Amino acid sequence: QIKESATLTRDVLEQHFSDLKGTLKKLLDERLMSLLQEVDFIEQESIKPLDECQKLIEHGVSTADDLLREGESAVDGDVGTQNEKLCNFTKKALHIQLDSLPEVPSLVDVPCLSAQLDDCLLTILKNQIFRHGTVASRPPVQLEEFVEKPGGILVRWCKVDDDFIPQDYRLQYRKSTASHFEDVYVGSETEFIVLHIDPNTDYQFRVCARGDGRQEWSPWSVPQIGRTTLVPHEWTTGLEGYSLSSRRNIALRNDSQSCGVLYSKAPTYFCGQTLTFRQVFFGIETVGQPDRRDSLGVCVEQQNGYDSLQRDKAVCISTNGAVFVNGKEMTNQLPAVTSGSTVTFDMEVVQLGPCSNEGGNFKLRVTISSNNREVVFDWVLDQCCGSLYFGCSFSYPGWKVLVF
């Protein structure tokens, strides 16, 4: 563990500082280019009026030089043409203003470029770089427990640094054959059920935390391996009134007129586990309307021909919160099942008499929880049940239920 974490830490540090070097070089190059462009702009804008002034002066000097040569020629000519040349020279000289010059900017108005470079930047960078990054050998949170779930793993973690005040936690996982971790949860809870886990496959988990009011995450916990041997819960395919997700763990009551109970593919619920249904209304304009026959629950066996789990050898909760045991409604009632509600079933075995292949008195202590309330009762059966089916039935379209 020490060698592996040390090697990983070296790789992370080398990659981070390599990235920093590249980023700093890119930023410095961009700043240099910006300053050079600023120099070019000032030079071009400042030299423009001086170039124009120089052109005017050169043009005036050239004109005066041409006029001087023309005057010399008029004086040196013969007497017959001298008067005519002098007359033309005089007219031309009167139209040319040789005594005016363009306004030349004063010396104080002419820019003189220089680069102002503050050496304190190196001092600031040096101080920041020397304080950048830390190496921690004791993460403030560690993984605490893995609990097998059908097609999933319940991961729990805890704080091990008493001085650390966490604001959020971040859980990552990867399959044993994968090279990179991926985020699976970020939040304030200290446990999370990771779904879509392949049974009998090793997964590696790690967790870190963010301190109260901080932006950076803490060091990662020691990675640990978790696995589940329990196959995922799946709904049975082929029932006309329901559409299933690709993993067959979500059932949607469609608009088919056909009705009936949708059962699990197999009796995958075992006593001692927690079975969870999460209800969601589906749709915008129309949503599923509740009906007294609606039900979510577990049963000993699949029985076709019923339109509800409110029957013998089944326990269920209706969408109005009524609880039924073997088809009889209990006096205790739970809150109605609404959008986003979570309903859980927990069962433990309490045997009343001898249990054999021929049957016998068999009792399960059942706890049904919904919206922070629960009912507890004993479910008496005439046969031993090591595993149970789960099921649901809805009379109207629009209901969607996730099971895990």
Side-chain angles (χ1 to χ4, degrees):
Q1 175 179 312
I2 295 176
K3 290 185 176 180
E4 181 180 356
S5 63
T7 300
L8 179 61
T9 302
R10 291 190 191 96
D11 293 341
V12 170
L13 288 172
E14 289 175 356
Q15 183 63 47
H16 177 74
F17 277 86
S18 175
D19 293 343
L20 276 181
K21 288 178 184 178
T23 303
L24 284 174
K25 183 180 183 305
K26 181 180 178 182
L27 292 174
L28 288 172
D29 289 343
E30 290 177 353
R31 181 57 180 164
L32 173 61
M33 184 60 64
S34 174
L35 291 172
L36 290 175
Q37 290 175 350
E38 188 175 349
V39 171
D40 293 341
F41 177 78
I42 295 175
E43 179 186 25
Q44 293 171 4
E45 292 298 312
S46 302
I47 205 71
K48 190 182 299 182
L50 294 177
D51 286 342
E52 293 175 353
C53 181
Q54 181 177 354
K55 289 179 181 178
L56 288 174
I57 293 175
E58 290 176 350
H59 177 70
V61 171
S62 176
T63 302
D65 187 56
D66 292 342
L67 189 62
L68 178 62
R69 283 195 296 271
E70 188 174 342
E72 290 175 348
S73 175
V75 172
D76 296 339
D78 55 36
V79 178
T81 60
Q82 191 175 35
N83 291 334
E84 183 180 355
K85 288 183 177 181
L86 286 173
C87 182
N88 291 335
F89 171 77
T90 303
K91 290 180 180 180
K92 193 172 184 180
L94 290 174
H95 288 85
I96 298 177
Q97 296 181 352
L98 298 177
D99 58 346
S100 64
L101 289 174
E103 183 180 358
V104 179
S106 63
L107 189 61
V108 294
D109 294 330
V110 177
C112 180
L113 281 72
S114 63
Q116 305 299 310
L117 301 174
D118 193 348
D119 292 338
C120 72
L121 175 62
L122 292 177
T123 303
I124 295 173
L125 286 176
K126 182 178 179 181
N127 293 334
Q128 291 293 330
I129 290 173
F130 283 164
R131 290 199 301 266
H132 181 68
T134 57
V135 176
S137 59
R138 294 290 186 272
V141 291
Q142 293 286 2
L143 295 169
E144 183 179 31
E145 184 181 17
F146 297 103
V147 180
E148 292 185 58
K149 296 289 181 180
I153 300 175
L154 173 61
V155 184
R156 292 193 175 104
W157 55 88
C158 62
K159 188 181 71 165
V160 295
D161 184 351
D162 294 336
D163 296 329
F164 184 79
I165 302 176
Q167 174 179 300
D168 291 308
Y169 298 99
R170 181 183 181 188
L171 178 66
Q172 290 189 337
Y173 83 128
R174 67 180 178 186
K175 190 178 282 191
S176 56
T177 56
S179 57
H180 299 290
F181 283 91
E182 60 180 272
D183 286 340
V184 69
Y185 173 76
V186 175
S188 59
E189 301 295 329
T190 56
E191 66 178 35
F192 183 76
I193 297 179
V194 183
L195 299 176
H196 311 319
I197 295 292
D198 296 331
N200 303 307
T201 302
D202 287 341
Y203 287 82
Q204 202 171 38
F205 296 85
R206 66 182 185 181
V207 66
C208 65
R210 180 161 51 195
D212 189 22
R214 306 295 295 272
Q215 294 296 322
E216 70 277 5
W217 292 99
S218 74
W220 290 105
S221 66
V222 177
Q224 295 190 42
I225 293 177
R227 62 159 43 200
T228 182
T229 59
L230 305 176
V231 297
H233 291 318
E234 294 182 9
W235 297 104
T236 297
T237 59
L239 190 62
E240 185 179 347
Y242 294 87
S243 304
L244 306 183
S245 64
S246 59
R247 291 183 176 268
R248 296 179 294 280
N249 61 339
I250 299 176
L252 168 66
R253 181 65 168 94
N254 56 38
D255 56 4
S256 171
Q257 296 300 316
S258 175
C259 62
V261 178
L262 177 66
Y263 292 102
S264 58
K265 180 180 178 180
T268 52
Y269 174 60
F270 296 88
C271 294
Q273 299 176 357
T274 297
L275 177 69
T276 303
F277 297 97
R278 182 168 294 159
Q279 276 289 348
V280 182
F281 278 127
F282 183 81
I284 300 176
E285 297 293 337
T286 60
V287 295
Q289 298 299 318
D291 186 274
R292 61 177 304 276
R293 297 169 298 171
D294 294 344
S295 54
L296 290 165
V298 297
C299 56
V300 175
E301 58 192 6
Q302 296 180 352
Q303 292 184 10
N304 297 323
Y306 289 89
D307 61 358
S308 175
L309 278 176
Q310 300 167 18
R311 60 168 175 80
D312 189 34
K313 296 184 179 180
V315 294
C316 65
I317 176 176
S318 176
T319 50
N320 63 8
V323 178
F324 291 84
V325 182
N326 291 331
K328 296 181 180 180
E329 184 174 355
M330 295 181 60
T331 55
N332 293 337
Q333 185 164 337
L334 292 169
V337 178
T338 59
S339 177
S341 291
T342 297
V343 179
T344 62
F345 286 74
D346 290 274
M347 298 189 186
E348 58 178 335
V349 178
V350 180
Q351 193 167 325
L352 291 180
C355 183
S356 64
N357 293 333
E358 289 75 22
N361 293 325
F362 190 75
K363 183 169 69 173
L364 296 175
R365 183 148 298 154
V366 182
T367 302
I368 305 178
S369 302
S370 176
N371 294 334
N372 297 320
R373 287 181 57 187
E374 65 179 31
V375 293
V376 182
F377 57 90
D378 290 337
W379 182 22
V380 179
L381 299 170
D382 59 1
Q383 64 187 84
C384 297
C385 294
S387 59
L388 298 166
Y389 291 88
F390 56 86
C392 70
S393 64
F394 299 101
S395 300
Y396 297 100
W399 290 89
K400 184 170 69 171
V401 58
L402 164 69
V403 61
F404 59 92

